mmCIF file of all heavy atoms in Angstrom:
data_model
loop_
_atom_site.group_PDB
_atom_site.id
_atom_site.type_symbol
_atom_site.label_atom_id
_atom_site.label_comp_id
_atom_site.label_asym_id
_atom_site.label_seq_id
_atom_site.Cartn_x
_atom_site.Cartn_y
_atom_site.Cartn_z
ATOM 1 N N MET A 225 16.269 -9.666 2.359
ATOM 2 C CA MET A 225 15.208 -9.168 1.374
ATOM 3 C C MET A 225 13.859 -9.667 1.653
ATOM 4 O O MET A 225 12.891 -9.166 1.192
ATOM 5 C CB MET A 225 15.686 -9.748 -0.053
ATOM 6 C CG MET A 225 16.754 -9.046 -0.545
ATOM 7 S SD MET A 225 17.307 -9.874 -2.080
ATOM 8 C CE MET A 225 16.009 -9.474 -3.173
ATOM 9 N N ARG A 226 13.703 -10.612 2.543
ATOM 10 C CA ARG A 226 12.413 -11.138 2.980
ATOM 11 C C ARG A 226 12.002 -10.729 4.314
ATOM 12 O O ARG A 226 11.164 -11.333 4.984
ATOM 13 C CB ARG A 226 12.396 -12.759 2.927
ATOM 14 C CG ARG A 226 12.681 -13.248 1.470
ATOM 15 C CD ARG A 226 12.538 -14.682 1.467
ATOM 16 N NE ARG A 226 11.037 -15.048 1.525
ATOM 17 C CZ ARG A 226 10.647 -16.286 1.860
ATOM 18 N NH1 ARG A 226 11.405 -17.192 2.135
ATOM 19 N NH2 ARG A 226 9.349 -16.509 1.950
ATOM 20 N N THR A 227 12.492 -9.507 4.754
ATOM 21 C CA THR A 227 12.195 -9.048 6.033
ATOM 22 C C THR A 227 11.316 -7.696 5.952
ATOM 23 O O THR A 227 11.631 -6.831 5.114
ATOM 24 C CB THR A 227 13.479 -8.706 6.796
ATOM 25 O OG1 THR A 227 14.279 -9.828 6.889
ATOM 26 C CG2 THR A 227 13.193 -8.221 8.172
ATOM 27 N N LEU A 228 10.368 -7.675 6.769
ATOM 28 C CA LEU A 228 9.503 -6.444 6.900
ATOM 29 C C LEU A 228 9.814 -5.941 8.270
ATOM 30 O O LEU A 228 9.864 -6.618 9.222
ATOM 31 C CB LEU A 228 8.071 -6.896 6.820
ATOM 32 C CG LEU A 228 6.963 -5.857 6.683
ATOM 33 C CD1 LEU A 228 6.580 -5.305 8.126
ATOM 34 C CD2 LEU A 228 7.157 -4.794 5.750
ATOM 35 N N VAL A 229 10.234 -4.668 8.431
ATOM 36 C CA VAL A 229 10.560 -4.042 9.633
ATOM 37 C C VAL A 229 9.416 -3.099 10.030
ATOM 38 O O VAL A 229 9.004 -2.287 9.230
ATOM 39 C CB VAL A 229 11.904 -3.288 9.510
ATOM 40 C CG1 VAL A 229 12.422 -2.667 10.847
ATOM 41 C CG2 VAL A 229 12.953 -4.127 8.975
ATOM 42 N N ILE A 230 9.076 -3.173 11.309
ATOM 43 C CA ILE A 230 8.047 -2.232 11.829
ATOM 44 C C ILE A 230 8.788 -1.556 13.031
ATOM 45 O O ILE A 230 9.140 -2.101 13.979
ATOM 46 C CB ILE A 230 6.764 -2.931 12.353
ATOM 47 C CG1 ILE A 230 6.066 -3.613 11.113
ATOM 48 C CG2 ILE A 230 5.778 -1.889 12.971
ATOM 49 C CD1 ILE A 230 4.766 -4.412 11.540
ATOM 50 N N VAL A 231 8.856 -0.207 12.858
ATOM 51 C CA VAL A 231 9.360 0.626 13.982
ATOM 52 C C VAL A 231 8.112 1.272 14.660
ATOM 53 O O VAL A 231 7.284 1.893 14.078
ATOM 54 C CB VAL A 231 10.321 1.740 13.402
ATOM 55 C CG1 VAL A 231 10.847 2.547 14.544
ATOM 56 C CG2 VAL A 231 11.398 1.087 12.613
ATOM 57 N N GLY A 232 8.088 0.981 16.031
ATOM 58 C CA GLY A 232 6.893 1.551 16.778
ATOM 59 C C GLY A 232 6.842 3.049 16.819
ATOM 60 O O GLY A 232 7.877 3.660 16.582
ATOM 61 N N SER A 233 5.771 3.569 17.338
ATOM 62 C CA SER A 233 5.659 4.962 17.636
ATOM 63 C C SER A 233 6.117 5.068 19.121
ATOM 64 O O SER A 233 6.445 4.206 19.746
ATOM 65 C CB SER A 233 4.130 5.375 17.464
ATOM 66 O OG SER A 233 3.436 4.938 18.567
ATOM 67 N N SER A 234 5.899 6.393 19.534
ATOM 68 C CA SER A 234 6.282 6.614 21.015
ATOM 69 C C SER A 234 5.367 5.851 21.937
ATOM 70 O O SER A 234 5.669 5.645 23.062
ATOM 71 C CB SER A 234 6.337 8.047 21.324
ATOM 72 O OG SER A 234 4.984 8.550 21.239
ATOM 73 N N GLN A 235 4.259 5.477 21.372
ATOM 74 C CA GLN A 235 3.175 4.794 22.299
ATOM 75 C C GLN A 235 3.243 3.222 22.178
ATOM 76 O O GLN A 235 2.563 2.554 22.958
ATOM 77 C CB GLN A 235 1.797 5.259 21.850
ATOM 78 C CG GLN A 235 1.664 6.754 21.967
ATOM 79 C CD GLN A 235 2.024 7.246 23.399
ATOM 80 O OE1 GLN A 235 1.399 6.767 24.332
ATOM 81 N NE2 GLN A 235 2.899 8.161 23.498
ATOM 82 N N THR A 236 3.928 2.647 21.159
ATOM 83 C CA THR A 236 3.899 1.213 20.999
ATOM 84 C C THR A 236 4.636 0.603 22.245
ATOM 85 O O THR A 236 5.673 1.048 22.655
ATOM 86 C CB THR A 236 4.738 0.931 19.662
ATOM 87 O OG1 THR A 236 4.117 1.619 18.629
ATOM 88 C CG2 THR A 236 4.635 -0.610 19.283
ATOM 89 N N ARG A 237 4.052 -0.455 22.664
ATOM 90 C CA ARG A 237 4.523 -1.062 23.940
ATOM 91 C C ARG A 237 4.488 -2.566 23.869
ATOM 92 O O ARG A 237 3.813 -3.155 22.994
ATOM 93 C CB ARG A 237 3.726 -0.519 25.096
ATOM 94 C CG ARG A 237 2.262 -0.924 24.949
ATOM 95 C CD ARG A 237 1.430 0.023 25.869
ATOM 96 N NE ARG A 237 1.439 1.353 25.451
ATOM 97 C CZ ARG A 237 0.955 2.442 26.099
ATOM 98 N NH1 ARG A 237 0.478 2.214 27.340
ATOM 99 N NH2 ARG A 237 0.988 3.640 25.665
ATOM 100 N N LEU A 238 5.052 -3.198 24.868
ATOM 101 C CA LEU A 238 5.065 -4.615 24.924
ATOM 102 C C LEU A 238 4.266 -5.153 26.100
ATOM 103 O O LEU A 238 4.164 -4.422 27.209
ATOM 104 C CB LEU A 238 6.560 -5.169 25.259
ATOM 105 C CG LEU A 238 7.638 -4.821 24.273
ATOM 106 C CD1 LEU A 238 9.018 -5.422 24.785
ATOM 107 C CD2 LEU A 238 7.337 -5.210 22.965
ATOM 108 N N ILE A 239 3.614 -6.177 25.957
ATOM 109 C CA ILE A 239 3.003 -6.883 27.130
ATOM 110 C C ILE A 239 3.662 -8.172 27.286
ATOM 111 O O ILE A 239 3.575 -9.161 26.480
ATOM 112 C CB ILE A 239 1.445 -7.255 26.780
ATOM 113 C CG1 ILE A 239 0.648 -5.862 26.452
ATOM 114 C CG2 ILE A 239 0.917 -7.938 28.040
ATOM 115 C CD1 ILE A 239 -0.772 -6.187 26.047
ATOM 116 N N SER A 240 4.500 -8.193 28.378
ATOM 117 C CA SER A 240 5.370 -9.460 28.611
ATOM 118 C C SER A 240 4.460 -10.576 29.113
ATOM 119 O O SER A 240 3.404 -10.436 29.716
ATOM 120 C CB SER A 240 6.538 -9.145 29.588
ATOM 121 O OG SER A 240 5.915 -8.691 30.784
ATOM 122 N N ARG A 241 4.948 -11.816 28.823
ATOM 123 C CA ARG A 241 4.201 -12.990 29.254
ATOM 124 C C ARG A 241 5.212 -14.022 29.906
ATOM 125 O O ARG A 241 6.397 -14.021 29.447
ATOM 126 C CB ARG A 241 3.567 -13.645 27.952
ATOM 127 C CG ARG A 241 2.469 -12.774 27.383
ATOM 128 C CD ARG A 241 1.733 -13.517 26.346
ATOM 129 N NE ARG A 241 2.482 -13.872 25.162
ATOM 130 C CZ ARG A 241 2.040 -14.594 24.203
ATOM 131 N NH1 ARG A 241 0.873 -15.303 24.444
ATOM 132 N NH2 ARG A 241 2.708 -14.826 23.078
ATOM 133 N N GLU A 242 4.764 -14.827 30.805
ATOM 134 C CA GLU A 242 5.630 -15.854 31.363
ATOM 135 C C GLU A 242 6.068 -16.867 30.360
ATOM 136 O O GLU A 242 7.213 -17.222 30.295
ATOM 137 C CB GLU A 242 4.875 -16.568 32.473
ATOM 138 C CG GLU A 242 4.885 -15.693 33.765
ATOM 139 C CD GLU A 242 4.513 -16.467 34.924
ATOM 140 O OE1 GLU A 242 4.425 -17.739 34.892
ATOM 141 O OE2 GLU A 242 4.376 -15.783 36.041
ATOM 142 N N ARG A 243 5.102 -17.236 29.453
ATOM 143 C CA ARG A 243 5.527 -18.204 28.386
ATOM 144 C C ARG A 243 5.250 -17.463 27.068
ATOM 145 O O ARG A 243 4.239 -16.799 26.860
ATOM 146 C CB ARG A 243 4.719 -19.460 28.527
ATOM 147 C CG ARG A 243 5.578 -20.533 29.045
ATOM 148 C CD ARG A 243 4.768 -21.855 29.176
ATOM 149 N NE ARG A 243 3.995 -21.921 30.226
ATOM 150 C CZ ARG A 243 3.045 -22.925 30.456
ATOM 151 N NH1 ARG A 243 2.839 -23.845 29.593
ATOM 152 N NH2 ARG A 243 2.265 -22.898 31.511
ATOM 153 N N GLY A 244 6.065 -17.746 26.088
ATOM 154 C CA GLY A 244 5.946 -17.013 24.835
ATOM 155 C C GLY A 244 6.508 -15.632 24.780
ATOM 156 O O GLY A 244 6.720 -15.075 25.838
ATOM 157 N N SER A 245 6.674 -15.221 23.568
ATOM 158 C CA SER A 245 7.267 -13.847 23.364
ATOM 159 C C SER A 245 6.179 -12.765 23.710
ATOM 160 O O SER A 245 4.959 -13.080 23.698
ATOM 161 C CB SER A 245 7.782 -13.545 22.026
ATOM 162 O OG SER A 245 6.957 -14.144 21.030
ATOM 163 N N ALA A 246 6.662 -11.624 24.025
ATOM 164 C CA ALA A 246 5.756 -10.485 24.425
ATOM 165 C C ALA A 246 4.794 -10.147 23.267
ATOM 166 O O ALA A 246 5.176 -10.254 22.034
ATOM 167 C CB ALA A 246 6.576 -9.324 24.872
ATOM 168 N N PHE A 247 3.617 -9.754 23.640
ATOM 169 C CA PHE A 247 2.740 -9.084 22.607
ATOM 170 C C PHE A 247 3.273 -7.670 22.357
ATOM 171 O O PHE A 247 3.709 -7.046 23.290
ATOM 172 C CB PHE A 247 1.335 -8.935 23.129
ATOM 173 C CG PHE A 247 0.565 -10.291 23.257
ATOM 174 C CD1 PHE A 247 -0.043 -10.620 24.540
ATOM 175 C CD2 PHE A 247 0.461 -11.149 22.182
ATOM 176 C CE1 PHE A 247 -0.672 -11.896 24.625
ATOM 177 C CE2 PHE A 247 -0.212 -12.293 22.305
ATOM 178 C CZ PHE A 247 -0.782 -12.672 23.509
ATOM 179 N N VAL A 248 3.048 -7.255 21.205
ATOM 180 C CA VAL A 248 3.487 -5.767 20.809
ATOM 181 C C VAL A 248 2.212 -5.144 20.403
ATOM 182 O O VAL A 248 1.510 -5.708 19.458
ATOM 183 C CB VAL A 248 4.508 -5.810 19.668
ATOM 184 C CG1 VAL A 248 4.954 -4.263 19.585
ATOM 185 C CG2 VAL A 248 5.703 -6.767 19.970
ATOM 186 N N TYR A 249 1.830 -3.949 20.931
ATOM 187 C CA TYR A 249 0.681 -3.297 20.375
ATOM 188 C C TYR A 249 0.849 -1.784 20.488
ATOM 189 O O TYR A 249 1.611 -1.288 21.275
ATOM 190 C CB TYR A 249 -0.634 -3.783 21.040
ATOM 191 C CG TYR A 249 -1.073 -3.085 22.262
ATOM 192 C CD1 TYR A 249 -2.168 -2.276 22.302
ATOM 193 C CD2 TYR A 249 -0.352 -3.181 23.431
ATOM 194 C CE1 TYR A 249 -2.666 -1.668 23.393
ATOM 195 C CE2 TYR A 249 -0.762 -2.581 24.622
ATOM 196 C CZ TYR A 249 -1.918 -1.781 24.549
ATOM 197 O OH TYR A 249 -2.302 -1.125 25.654
#
Side-chain angles (χ1 to χ4, degrees):
M225 285 171 72
R226 299 189 68 197
T227 304
L228 187 282
V229 181
I230 298 177
V231 181
S233 73
S234 67
Q235 302 303 305
T236 304
R237 60 198 70 190
L238 303 182
I239 302 176
S240 59
R241 297 192 284 170
E242 280 194 7
R243 256 184 281 172
S245 43
F247 291 125
V248 189
Y249 91 110

